[in-house]
């Protein structure tokens, strides 16, 4: 059975990979696909495909989050995997480092800097590590003795680690490094780093450079330690690590801190060969150390490795013009089968969909549904007639795994009922959204089938109360009012005044699976009317991202029908899924909320 399941999804890890998923299910149940991906190191699409194969055999429940069925539990027992000891440190969650309270301020400040900083470049599948990860990387430098003092070279810095070093130093009362050098291709990233670092007291030098070429001569052999988070290919690892080696002082025991995403054993062997070829040796390795906003295929995590130079360390990398990013190397199409209707679709170079994320977003061309089960690789795809040879993309920014833009499972904006939003100050207005064409609207409704939208009413209050309670928990944590009954009562009073702008999605006659609330307000200073997105939430149904899109579309159509031309929505800085939804619909950030806590009982 293990072999059959592994063969069905072309799993490189074979039966041991299936065992790892079953073992993780036994230990973590109920477990999401993302949880299982992080526990096993397998990509999310592969874990999802394995889960579908296990469901077909009656070993995993159809309900999500997933559990083993009785038959699945019996199988795990037969395989001798029913022991559930977990020795992972509960304090650090296996990351080996814990952020001390004194650096909580650094985390908060870095979150704000991320919010106002350059956006991830989806064109190269980029994603940014979390504020906590940035601080942990600085702690790793301190723990290893690479800091304080000395000089740090960052080979690519879309993660803004240079600012993390500066912010941590500012919080602790003084610089923790003599000099930071950032080499990156992005003028936007470098300009932002210079703008912010100027007021933090840390000396940061930025150098705009395409890493496909060797480092500028004045940077060679000038740094005590280096850090890089390269493209997640063996070629990317070799190129960026080579540039790190070029910038380090000669001699052994200099550190290179290297972040990378989990790959198959064969692919990781290639990466390790590149490390060995540079004369570097592994001194430390932490799985799931890095957390990323996005990186859906890799479960949003990556490993962190400390490498040391030796007497044999040397970079022999000259100019590079070959494939670098994951997309550069993809030369073959893969066949995907629609689980709903069995229709088979090709994805890859020359196909209608170059990535499976695009296929998921559009839905099966036969039935409009999904999800899709990965199948065999097909023969080399012919180049389409319109294809033209293009120069390789410049290096210097790390692309992570493709981001799958999905709506949060029962998450939403941090607005609570009764908290009005503040419209942005009008300037040069750019129209960020247009109503979908009839064809696009029909396609969206097909993808969200069997769910449709309608105006909310009193019968929906229990479900709406649960949505609002979860929105409060996501936005305010332990401080939230998370009593669904209390929220239902509040919304009931709001309904008595007006139900307009209150929209739910669900099967006809059944409890809603999604909820959207748009209110029409008036700016007291200008007299202008504007719409405020107060709530948006979707239950974890299979096509929840499509349902979220349908609800948001219905809300914006309600605004247009009321003659509204300005829409605002507030979102917590840490609520990345909701920020992604807003961005997808053309919302732009226009203001920054500032918060200050005062001591209790003092006058």
């Amino acid at each position: 059975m293990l072999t059959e399941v592994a063969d069905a999804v072309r799993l490189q890890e074979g039966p041991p990979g299936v065992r790892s998923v079953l073992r993780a299910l036994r230990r973590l149940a109920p477990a999401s696909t993302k949880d299982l991906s992080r526990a096993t190191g397998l990509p999310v699409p592969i874990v999802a495909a394995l889960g579908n194969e296990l469901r077909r055999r009656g070993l995993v429940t159809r309900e999500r989050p997933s559990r083993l069925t009785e038959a699945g539990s019996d199988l795990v027992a037969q395989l001798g995997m029913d022991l559930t000891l977990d020795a992972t440190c509960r304090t650090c969650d296996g990351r080996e480092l814990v952020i001390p309270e004194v650096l909580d301020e650094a985390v908060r400040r870095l979150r704000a800097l991320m919010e106002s900083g350059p956006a991830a470049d989806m064109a190269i599948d980029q994603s940014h590590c979390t504020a906590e990860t940035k601080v942990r990387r600085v702690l790793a430098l301190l723990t290893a003795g690479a800091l304080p003092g000395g000089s740090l070279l960052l080979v690519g810095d879309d993660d803004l680690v240079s600012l993390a070093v500066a912010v941590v130093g500012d919080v602790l009362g003084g610089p923790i490094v003599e000099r930071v050098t950032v080499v990156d291709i992005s003028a936007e990233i470098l300009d932002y780093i210079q703008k912010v670092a100027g007021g933090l007291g840390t000396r940061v030098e930025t150098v705009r450079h395409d890493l496909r070429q060797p480092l500028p001569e004045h940077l060679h052999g000038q740094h005590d330690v280096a850090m890089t988070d390269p493209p997640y290919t063996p070629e990317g690892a070799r190129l960026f690590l080579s540039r790190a080696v070029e910038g380090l002082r000669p001699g052994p025991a200099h550190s290179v801190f290297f972040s990378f995403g989990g790959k198959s054993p064969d692919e990781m062997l290639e990466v390790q060969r590149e490390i060995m070829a540079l004369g570097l040796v592994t001194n430390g390795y932490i799985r799931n150390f890095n957390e990323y906003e996005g990186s859906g295929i890799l479960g949003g995590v990556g490993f962190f490795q400390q490498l040391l130079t030796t007497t044999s360390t040397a970079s022999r990398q000259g100019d590079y013009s070959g494939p670098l990013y994951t997309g550069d190397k993809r030369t073959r199409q893969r066949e995907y089968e629609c689980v709903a209707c069995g229709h088979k679709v090709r994805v890859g170079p020359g196909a209608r969909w170059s990535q499976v994320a695009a296929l998921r977003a559009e839905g099966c061309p036969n039935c409009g549904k999904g999800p899709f089960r990965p199948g065999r690789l097909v023969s080399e795809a012919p180049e389409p007639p319109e294809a033209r040879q293009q120069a390789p993309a410049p290096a210097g920014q790390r692309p992570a795994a493709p981001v799958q833009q999905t709506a949060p499972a029962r998450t939403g904006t941090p607005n609570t009922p009764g908290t009005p939003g503040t419209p942005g100050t009008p300037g040069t207005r750019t129209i960020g959204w247009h109503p979908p064409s009839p064809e696009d609207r029909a396609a969206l409704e097909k993808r969200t089938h069997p769910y449709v939208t309608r105006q909310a009413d009193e019968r929906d209050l229990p479900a709406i109360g649960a949505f609002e309670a979860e929105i409060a928990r996501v936005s305010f944590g332990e401080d939230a009012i998370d009593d669904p009954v209390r929220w239902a009562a509040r919304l009931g009073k709001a309904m008595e005044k007006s139900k307009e702008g209150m929209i739910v999605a669900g099967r006809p006659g059944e409890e809603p699976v999604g909820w959207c609330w748009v209110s029409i307000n008036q700016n007291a200073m200008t007299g202008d009317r504007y719409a405020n997105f107060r709530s948006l939430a979707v239950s974890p149904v299979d096509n929840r991202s499509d349902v979220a899109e349908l609800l948001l579309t219905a809300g914006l159509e309600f605004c247009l029908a009321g003659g509204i031309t300005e829409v605002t929505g507030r979102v917590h800085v840490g609520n990345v899924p909701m920020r992604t939804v807003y961005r997808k619909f053309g919302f732009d950030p226009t203001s920054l909320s500032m918060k200050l806590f005062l001591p209790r009982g003092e006058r």
Side-chain angles (χ1 to χ4, degrees):
M1 188 283 298
L2 295 174
T3 301
E4 287 178 1
V5 172
D7 289 346
V9 300
R10 308 297 193 271
L11 183 64
Q12 289 187 21
E13 289 78 1
V18 185
R19 276 179 172 268
S20 69
V21 171
L22 289 170
R23 186 182 297 110
L25 262 174
R26 174 70 176 86
R27 179 169 60 88
L28 300 174
S32 67
T33 301
K34 184 176 180 180
D35 293 335
L36 296 174
S37 172
R38 291 188 172 198
T40 61
L42 296 172
V44 167
I46 295 299
V47 174
L50 288 170
N52 290 332
E53 290 297 330
L54 294 170
R55 286 186 185 90
R56 289 177 59 188
R57 291 163 173 78
L59 302 173
V60 174
T61 61
R62 295 195 174 276
E63 296 77 20
R64 291 174 173 81
S66 300
R67 299 175 183 269
L68 292 170
T69 63
E70 184 176 345
S73 296
D74 290 344
L75 174 64
V76 166
Q78 291 175 32
L79 293 171
M81 298 190 302
D82 55 345
L83 189 63
T84 57
L85 287 176
D86 183 6
T88 303
C89 174
R90 300 187 185 279
T91 301
C92 70
D93 200 22
R95 297 189 184 98
E96 299 185 15
L97 294 173
V98 178
I99 299 174
E101 290 184 5
V102 69
L103 293 183
D104 287 347
E105 179 188 345
V107 173
R108 290 192 295 270
R109 288 169 61 177
L110 286 166
R111 283 195 189 123
L113 290 175
M114 291 173 66
E115 180 69 15
S116 58
D121 186 353
M122 299 299 180
I124 54 173
D125 300 329
Q126 194 180 80
S127 63
H128 294 159
C129 73
T130 63
E132 290 83 358
T133 297
K134 298 182 201 305
V135 174
R136 281 198 298 269
R137 289 183 182 178
V138 178
L139 288 172
L141 290 166
L142 291 166
T143 303
L147 298 180
S151 54
L152 169 65
L153 171 65
L154 295 169
V155 181
D157 194 26
D158 66 286
D159 281 326
L160 305 180
V161 173
S162 55
L163 295 184
V165 172
V167 168
V168 168
D170 193 51
V171 169
L172 296 179
I176 58 174
V177 65
E178 293 177 5
R179 174 169 58 101
V180 178
T181 303
V182 179
V183 183
D184 203 292
I185 190 65
S186 169
E188 183 183 15
I189 288 174
L190 297 177
D191 289 346
Y192 185 72
I193 290 172
Q194 281 290 354
K195 174 184 174 182
V196 176
L200 294 174
T202 294
R203 178 185 170 194
V204 179
E205 176 191 5
T206 55
V207 179
R208 189 179 184 192
H209 181 71
D210 188 340
L211 291 168
R212 290 180 182 273
Q213 283 81 48
L215 290 185
E217 192 65 33
H218 74 279
L219 296 181
H220 281 221
Q222 299 298 310
H223 302 85
D224 301 299
V225 62
M227 181 178 287
T228 188
D229 194 343
Y232 290 168
T233 61
E235 294 84 357
R238 180 183 67 241
L239 182 64
F240 279 53
L241 287 172
S242 295
R243 304 312 181 208
V245 167
E246 290 171 4
L248 287 176
R249 300 187 192 280
H254 292 293
S255 292
V256 179
F257 292 90
F258 169 57
S259 296
F260 207 72
K263 297 288 185 179
S264 70
D266 286 348
E267 291 172 307
M268 285 310 302
L269 177 60
E270 287 188 60
V271 173
Q272 294 304 312
R273 282 173 173 160
E274 300 293 358
I275 291 172
M276 293 290 290
L278 286 166
L280 298 170
V281 62
T282 298
N283 190 55
Y285 181 97
I286 307 174
R287 281 191 66 232
N288 297 346
F289 180 92
N290 297 305
E291 288 190 288
Y292 297 97
E293 297 183 341
S295 250
I297 281 184
L298 299 179
V301 293
F303 67 74
F304 188 73
Q305 192 169 4
Q306 183 191 9
L307 307 172
L308 294 178
T309 59
T310 66
T311 55
S312 300
T313 299
S315 172
R316 300 176 180 84
Q317 179 69 61
D319 290 354
Y320 181 77
S321 59
L324 184 60
Y325 301 117
T326 305
D328 297 338
K329 298 188 65 181
R330 191 179 295 116
T331 60
R332 299 182 66 184
Q333 298 175 359
R334 182 178 290 276
E335 196 172 76
Y336 284 80
E337 180 182 357
C338 175
V339 173
C341 69
H343 184 68
K344 293 182 179 179
V345 183
R346 291 186 177 186
V347 175
R352 177 178 172 184
W353 297 276
S354 61
Q355 296 182 354
V356 70
L359 173 62
R360 291 195 194 101
E362 191 167 333
C364 173
N366 184 55
C367 69
K369 299 180 183 178
F372 299 90
R373 183 183 299 116
R376 63 183 180 87
L377 285 169
V378 297
S379 58
E380 197 76 21
E383 186 181 50
E386 67 275 16
R388 296 177 181 176
Q389 186 172 356
Q390 298 181 353
Q397 299 172 321
R398 183 205 77 256
V403 175
Q404 182 180 352
Q405 295 187 347
T406 58
R410 291 202 168 202
T411 62
T413 60
N415 307 53
T416 55
T419 304
T422 303
T425 302
T428 302
R429 300 197 177 198
T430 301
I431 306 302
W433 181 83
H434 292 277
S437 66
E439 294 78 12
D440 290 340
R441 193 66 159 80
L444 176 59
E445 291 172 353
K446 189 175 182 180
R447 295 199 305 272
T448 58
H449 181 79
Y451 306 115
V452 296
T453 57
R454 59 174 172 80
Q455 187 178 76
D457 56 36
E458 288 76 10
R459 60 181 166 162
D460 304 313
L461 285 173
I464 292 174
F467 283 132
E468 290 294 334
E470 183 63 19
I471 289 173
R473 281 191 290 269
V474 168
S475 303
F476 300 103
E478 295 180 356
D479 297 328
I481 298 173
D482 59 356
D483 180 1
V485 176
R486 190 170 176 181
W487 281 111
R490 286 189 180 186
L491 269 295
K493 292 179 181 179
M495 277 188 182
E496 291 176 3
K497 297 179 181 180
S498 175
K499 298 177 183 176
E500 286 194 342
M502 294 184 172
I503 306 167
V504 293
R507 295 173 184 265
E510 296 186 9
E511 182 180 274
V513 300
W515 151 249
C516 174
W517 185 15
V518 188
S519 64
I520 306 300
N521 300 325
Q522 187 173 33
N523 188 321
M525 300 183 71
T526 66
D528 294 335
R529 295 169 70 242
Y530 69 95
N532 181 27
F533 260 94
R534 303 175 77 151
S535 300
L536 178 65
V538 181
S539 295
V541 295
D542 287 340
N543 52 347
R544 64 183 181 274
S545 60
D546 294 321
V547 175
E549 183 176 343
L550 182 67
L551 279 166
L552 196 52
T553 300
L556 293 175
E557 289 172 340
F558 164 76
C559 296
L560 282 179
I564 300 299
T565 59
E566 183 175 338
V567 185
T568 69
R570 296 180 64 198
V571 58
H572 190 279
V573 66
N575 192 347
V576 177
M578 193 62 231
R579 284 165 50 195
T580 301
V581 172
Y582 272 142
R583 287 278 193 180
K584 183 178 180 181
F585 272 76
F587 283 76
D588 286 320
T590 57
S591 61
L592 179 66
S593 296
M594 309 293 288
K595 183 178 287 188
L596 171 69
F597 292 101
L598 297 175
R600 297 179 183 272
E602 295 187 16
R603 296 181 181 273

